Amino acid sequence: MRSLRLPLRAICIASAISTALAATGGTFEEGGSTLVSAMMMFLGNDQSVYILDKAEGNAAQVLGHPAWGSVWDIKTRRAVVMDIKTNSFCASGMHLPNGSYVTFGGNDAVGQNGVAGSQKNPDGTGAWDSYYQDFDGRRAIRIVTPCTITDTLNSGPCAWYDEPTQLSLRRERWYSAAEATGEGEVVIIGGFVRGGFVNRWVPNVDPATSDGQADPTYEYYPPRSGEPRTFDFLIKTSGLNSYAHTYLMPSGRILVQANLSTTLWDHNTNVETPLPPMPKGVVRVYPASGATTMLPLTVANKYTPTLLFCGGSDMPEADYAPHP
Ligand SMILES: *[C@@H]1O[C@H](CO)[C@@H](O)[C@H](O)[C@H]1NC(C)=O
Ligand SMILES: *[C@@H]1O[C@H](CO)[C@@H](O)[C@H](O)[C@H]1NC(C)=O
């Protein structure tokens, strides 16, 4: 076994959707403390912003262990901790059609200083840690129904449902992408099993799985029958395809962008229509980490999607570090 632990440089920022706080455009205002780092956040309803961190030694405590989840109230700018059982480090997430929100995958269980949790899986990765009390999150499916900070948040209908023995992904997925399908499901794409950063060896002798450290398949929530199928695009973009950029198109196909490649993907038939490579050799996925968004769909533009890609890195492929 080669590398098990993600080095500190592998910091990930998941989808960030927040409401405009500052009254004046182009200005900043101090918004209070979120209690945990906003590695991932989403707007749950018109009052609450949900925040997920990775399992780490935050001062804020919940149920006798450091917290890595919170809810931040837009009006009062106050946050309340929430209990999350599994390590949500670099999970992905999506809204469900019924208003709940779901996050997928993450890292294995870690303890202080990021070492593998005190209780190990057979392969030496962390299953659970006695200090942080986090469980292995790589197959996690966590669901929350948005409430407000005055509700009871850590039990009952407002709590995170995070029970890996009851509900879990078919594969381990860290840094996967999650996109809504036209059928009202979420498709969960790729991800790392272990390792991280740029998940391929130099030379890249195993572009599909990087020696068992990457998963080039996709699966659904709610689950569809059958085993996860291989998505060839993830093999083509090997290594530079964590947190692939995904956008559902009016046709029901999904535009997927990673490394220098873009494809229009019919996930039902698993047929791709490749689009031209990214101009000027600019990579936008993690760790090149450009910003991308879909511009507003309006009556005036007849709901025609326009995607904007900003920033990234034009570093040559060979200059990305070899596998950690
Ligand atoms: C939405 O559906 C999920 C199952 O996919 C369920 O866990 C959740 O409780 C539902 N939310 C509401 C508000 O009914
Ligand atoms: C990007 O894709 C090319 C082929 O399209 C591949 O050779 C290369 O390994 C990929 N980059 C990384 C960092 O994996």
Side-chain angles (χ1 to χ4, degrees):
M1 190 161 313
R2 281 171 255 195
S3 161
L4 284 182
R5 201 112 313 271
L6 187 78
L8 282 177
R9 65 186 171 181
I11 305 285
C12 55
I13 303 290
S15 60
I17 304 164
S18 87
T19 54
L21 239 197
T24 316
T27 66
F28 285 96
E29 273 182 49
E30 202 267 307
S33 169
T34 58
L35 301 172
V36 304
S37 294
M39 186 203 71
M40 180 178 195
M41 67 181 184
F42 57 89
L43 183 65
N45 53 33
D46 60 355
Q47 299 181 56
S48 305
V49 174
Y50 281 74
I51 295 173
L52 288 92
D53 194 356
K54 60 177 182 171
E56 60 178 330
N58 291 319
Q61 299 276 310
V62 62
L63 307 182
H65 64 83
W68 56 92
S70 71
V71 182
W72 181 83
D73 182 62
I74 295 167
K75 205 155 72 196
T76 61
R77 303 183 178 189
R78 201 166 63 83
V80 172
V81 288
M82 281 194 81
D83 185 44
I84 296 173
K85 289 200 171 72
T86 55
N87 188 357
S88 47
F89 187 10
C90 291
S92 56
M94 185 46 69
H95 298 273
L96 290 174
N98 66 8
S100 294
Y101 194 91
V102 59
T103 74
F104 303 101
N107 195 9
D108 65 311
V110 300
Q112 283 172 290
N113 304 316
V115 299
S118 53
Q119 238 173 60
K120 307 281 191 293
N121 294 312
D123 69 355
T125 54
W128 182 74
D129 185 69
S130 60
Y131 186 79
Y132 287 170
Q133 296 180 26
D134 61 317
F135 289 86
D136 188 340
R138 291 174 296 173
R139 293 177 60 207
I141 299 176
R142 314 169 189 85
I143 302 173
V144 75
T145 298
C147 291
T148 67
I149 56 163
T150 53
D151 291 315
T152 300
L153 290 176
N154 288 309
S155 63
C158 297
W160 276 101
Y161 178 83
D162 185 12
E163 301 289 348
T165 56
Q166 305 297 314
L167 181 67
S168 62
L169 293 169
R170 298 214 163 108
R171 298 284 175 81
E172 291 164 322
R173 299 183 190 275
W174 190 21
Y175 294 83
S176 63
E179 182 58 60
T181 69
E183 293 86 353
E185 312 146 288
V186 182
V187 59
I188 306 110
I189 302 167
F192 302 163
V193 177
R194 295 190 306 269
F197 201 50
V198 179
N199 207 6
R200 56 91 178 86
W201 301 97
V202 177
N204 195 353
V205 287
D206 180 11
T209 80
S210 292
D211 205 10
Q213 303 216 155
D215 192 309
T217 69
Y218 62 100
E219 63 181 283
Y220 294 88
Y221 180 80
R224 288 190 182 183
S225 60
E227 277 302 294
R229 287 193 283 173
T230 296
F231 182 17
D232 287 338
F233 179 81
L234 296 174
I235 301 175
K236 179 179 178 184
T237 56
S238 174
L240 271 173
N241 59 19
S242 51
Y243 280 148
H245 297 303
T246 55
Y247 290 97
L248 178 64
M249 295 289 114
S251 65
R253 292 191 292 182
I254 295 175
L255 185 139
V256 189
Q257 202 284 313
N259 201 331
L260 297 175
S261 305
T262 306
T263 196
L264 266 177
W265 179 47
D266 182 331
H267 62 91
N268 285 309
T269 57
N270 200 10
V271 170
E272 292 183 46
T273 307
L275 298 179
M278 188 60 77
K280 304 195 166 137
V282 182
V283 176
R284 322 281 183 161
V285 291
Y286 174 89
S289 301
T292 79
T293 193
M294 185 187 282
L295 298 185
L297 301 169
T298 64
V299 176
N301 66 26
K302 298 190 170 62
Y303 307 106
T304 308
T306 300
L307 304 179
L308 189 64
F309 284 75
C310 302
S313 172
D314 63 358
M315 186 162 75
E317 202 277 318
D319 290 353
Y320 282 94
H323 203 288

PDB file of all heavy atoms in Angstrom, residues 295-306:
ATOM      1  N   LEU A 295     -25.291  30.877 -15.797  1.00  0.00           N
ATOM      2  CA  LEU A 295     -25.949  32.185 -15.714  1.00  0.00           C
ATOM      3  C   LEU A 295     -27.464  31.971 -15.577  1.00  0.00           C
ATOM      4  O   LEU A 295     -27.982  30.902 -15.933  1.00  0.00           O
ATOM      5  CB  LEU A 295     -25.618  33.015 -16.959  1.00  0.00           C
ATOM      6  CG  LEU A 295     -24.128  33.340 -17.136  1.00  0.00           C
ATOM      7  CD1 LEU A 295     -23.913  34.267 -18.342  1.00  0.00           C
ATOM      8  CD2 LEU A 295     -23.541  33.993 -15.879  1.00  0.00           C
ATOM      9  N   PRO A 296     -28.170  32.978 -15.060  1.00  0.00           N
ATOM     10  CA  PRO A 296     -29.608  32.793 -14.807  1.00  0.00           C
ATOM     11  C   PRO A 296     -30.381  32.370 -16.054  1.00  0.00           C
ATOM     12  O   PRO A 296     -30.125  32.850 -17.162  1.00  0.00           O
ATOM     13  CB  PRO A 296     -30.052  34.189 -14.353  1.00  0.00           C
ATOM     14  CG  PRO A 296     -28.823  34.815 -13.789  1.00  0.00           C
ATOM     15  CD  PRO A 296     -27.681  34.285 -14.601  1.00  0.00           C
ATOM     16  N   LEU A 297     -31.301  31.434 -15.849  1.00  0.00           N
ATOM     17  CA  LEU A 297     -32.195  30.989 -16.923  1.00  0.00           C
ATOM     18  C   LEU A 297     -33.434  31.879 -16.830  1.00  0.00           C
ATOM     19  O   LEU A 297     -34.111  31.884 -15.804  1.00  0.00           O
ATOM     20  CB  LEU A 297     -32.578  29.521 -16.705  1.00  0.00           C
ATOM     21  CG  LEU A 297     -31.426  28.520 -16.664  1.00  0.00           C
ATOM     22  CD1 LEU A 297     -31.918  27.160 -16.168  1.00  0.00           C
ATOM     23  CD2 LEU A 297     -30.773  28.389 -18.024  1.00  0.00           C
ATOM     24  N   THR A 298     -33.707  32.637 -17.872  1.00  0.00           N
ATOM     25  CA  THR A 298     -34.817  33.595 -17.810  1.00  0.00           C
ATOM     26  C   THR A 298     -35.762  33.402 -18.993  1.00  0.00           C
ATOM     27  O   THR A 298     -35.431  32.727 -19.973  1.00  0.00           O
ATOM     28  CB  THR A 298     -34.278  35.043 -17.857  1.00  0.00           C
ATOM     29  OG1 THR A 298     -33.640  35.244 -19.125  1.00  0.00           O
ATOM     30  CG2 THR A 298     -33.280  35.321 -16.738  1.00  0.00           C
ATOM     31  N   VAL A 299     -36.936  34.027 -18.876  1.00  0.00           N
ATOM     32  CA  VAL A 299     -37.887  34.015 -19.992  1.00  0.00           C
ATOM     33  C   VAL A 299     -37.216  34.670 -21.189  1.00  0.00           C
ATOM     34  O   VAL A 299     -37.289  34.180 -22.316  1.00  0.00           O
ATOM     35  CB  VAL A 299     -39.182  34.776 -19.607  1.00  0.00           C
ATOM     36  CG1 VAL A 299     -40.132  34.860 -20.792  1.00  0.00           C
ATOM     37  CG2 VAL A 299     -39.839  34.108 -18.411  1.00  0.00           C
ATOM     38  N   ALA A 300     -36.515  35.806 -20.937  1.00  0.00           N
ATOM     39  CA  ALA A 300     -35.891  36.563 -22.029  1.00  0.00           C
ATOM     40  C   ALA A 300     -34.882  35.716 -22.802  1.00  0.00           C
ATOM     41  O   ALA A 300     -34.810  35.809 -24.026  1.00  0.00           O
ATOM     42  CB  ALA A 300     -35.224  37.818 -21.473  1.00  0.00           C
ATOM     43  N   ASN A 301     -34.103  34.869 -22.088  1.00  0.00           N
ATOM     44  CA  ASN A 301     -33.132  34.040 -22.836  1.00  0.00           C
ATOM     45  C   ASN A 301     -33.711  32.658 -23.145  1.00  0.00           C
ATOM     46  O   ASN A 301     -32.970  31.739 -23.505  1.00  0.00           O
ATOM     47  CB  ASN A 301     -31.773  33.983 -22.113  1.00  0.00           C
ATOM     48  CG  ASN A 301     -31.820  33.260 -20.763  1.00  0.00           C
ATOM     49  OD1 ASN A 301     -32.671  32.407 -20.527  1.00  0.00           O
ATOM     50  ND2 ASN A 301     -30.900  33.587 -19.872  1.00  0.00           N
ATOM     51  N   LYS A 302     -35.012  32.527 -22.973  1.00  0.00           N
ATOM     52  CA  LYS A 302     -35.731  31.272 -23.274  1.00  0.00           C
ATOM     53  C   LYS A 302     -35.119  30.083 -22.535  1.00  0.00           C
ATOM     54  O   LYS A 302     -35.062  28.979 -23.057  1.00  0.00           O
ATOM     55  CB  LYS A 302     -35.771  31.013 -24.787  1.00  0.00           C
ATOM     56  CG  LYS A 302     -36.518  32.081 -25.573  1.00  0.00           C
ATOM     57  CD  LYS A 302     -36.726  31.628 -27.023  1.00  0.00           C
ATOM     58  CE  LYS A 302     -37.665  32.508 -27.815  1.00  0.00           C
ATOM     59  NZ  LYS A 302     -37.213  33.901 -27.964  1.00  0.00           N
ATOM     60  N   TYR A 303     -34.653  30.352 -21.329  1.00  0.00           N
ATOM     61  CA  TYR A 303     -34.067  29.309 -20.464  1.00  0.00           C
ATOM     62  C   TYR A 303     -32.911  28.579 -21.156  1.00  0.00           C
ATOM     63  O   TYR A 303     -32.737  27.372 -21.018  1.00  0.00           O
ATOM     64  CB  TYR A 303     -35.146  28.303 -20.017  1.00  0.00           C
ATOM     65  CG  TYR A 303     -36.339  28.973 -19.388  1.00  0.00           C
ATOM     66  CD1 TYR A 303     -37.559  29.081 -20.068  1.00  0.00           C
ATOM     67  CD2 TYR A 303     -36.247  29.534 -18.122  1.00  0.00           C
ATOM     68  CE1 TYR A 303     -38.644  29.723 -19.496  1.00  0.00           C
ATOM     69  CE2 TYR A 303     -37.325  30.172 -17.540  1.00  0.00           C
ATOM     70  CZ  TYR A 303     -38.522  30.266 -18.231  1.00  0.00           C
ATOM     71  OH  TYR A 303     -39.590  30.902 -17.662  1.00  0.00           O
ATOM     72  N   THR A 304     -32.150  29.328 -21.910  1.00  0.00           N
ATOM     73  CA  THR A 304     -31.007  28.745 -22.604  1.00  0.00           C
ATOM     74  C   THR A 304     -29.786  28.814 -21.689  1.00  0.00           C
ATOM     75  O   THR A 304     -29.391  29.892 -21.272  1.00  0.00           O
ATOM     76  CB  THR A 304     -30.698  29.542 -23.901  1.00  0.00           C
ATOM     77  OG1 THR A 304     -31.913  29.634 -24.640  1.00  0.00           O
ATOM     78  CG2 THR A 304     -29.623  28.859 -24.724  1.00  0.00           C
ATOM     79  N   PRO A 305     -29.188  27.670 -21.355  1.00  0.00           N
ATOM     80  CA  PRO A 305     -28.063  27.720 -20.411  1.00  0.00           C
ATOM     81  C   PRO A 305     -26.798  28.323 -21.020  1.00  0.00           C
ATOM     82  O   PRO A 305     -26.450  28.017 -22.163  1.00  0.00           O
ATOM     83  CB  PRO A 305     -27.827  26.256 -20.042  1.00  0.00           C
ATOM     84  CG  PRO A 305     -28.626  25.439 -20.966  1.00  0.00           C
ATOM     85  CD  PRO A 305     -29.543  26.306 -21.745  1.00  0.00           C
ATOM     86  N   THR A 306     -26.157  29.205 -20.256  1.00  0.00           N
ATOM     87  CA  THR A 306     -24.831  29.714 -20.596  1.00  0.00           C
ATOM     88  C   THR A 306     -23.945  29.435 -19.394  1.00  0.00           C
ATOM     89  O   THR A 306     -24.308  29.777 -18.265  1.00  0.00           O
ATOM     90  CB  THR A 306     -24.872  31.237 -20.865  1.00  0.00           C
ATOM     91  OG1 THR A 306     -25.759  31.481 -21.954  1.00  0.00           O
ATOM     92  CG2 THR A 306     -23.491  31.777 -21.205  1.00  0.00           C
TER      93      THR A 306
END
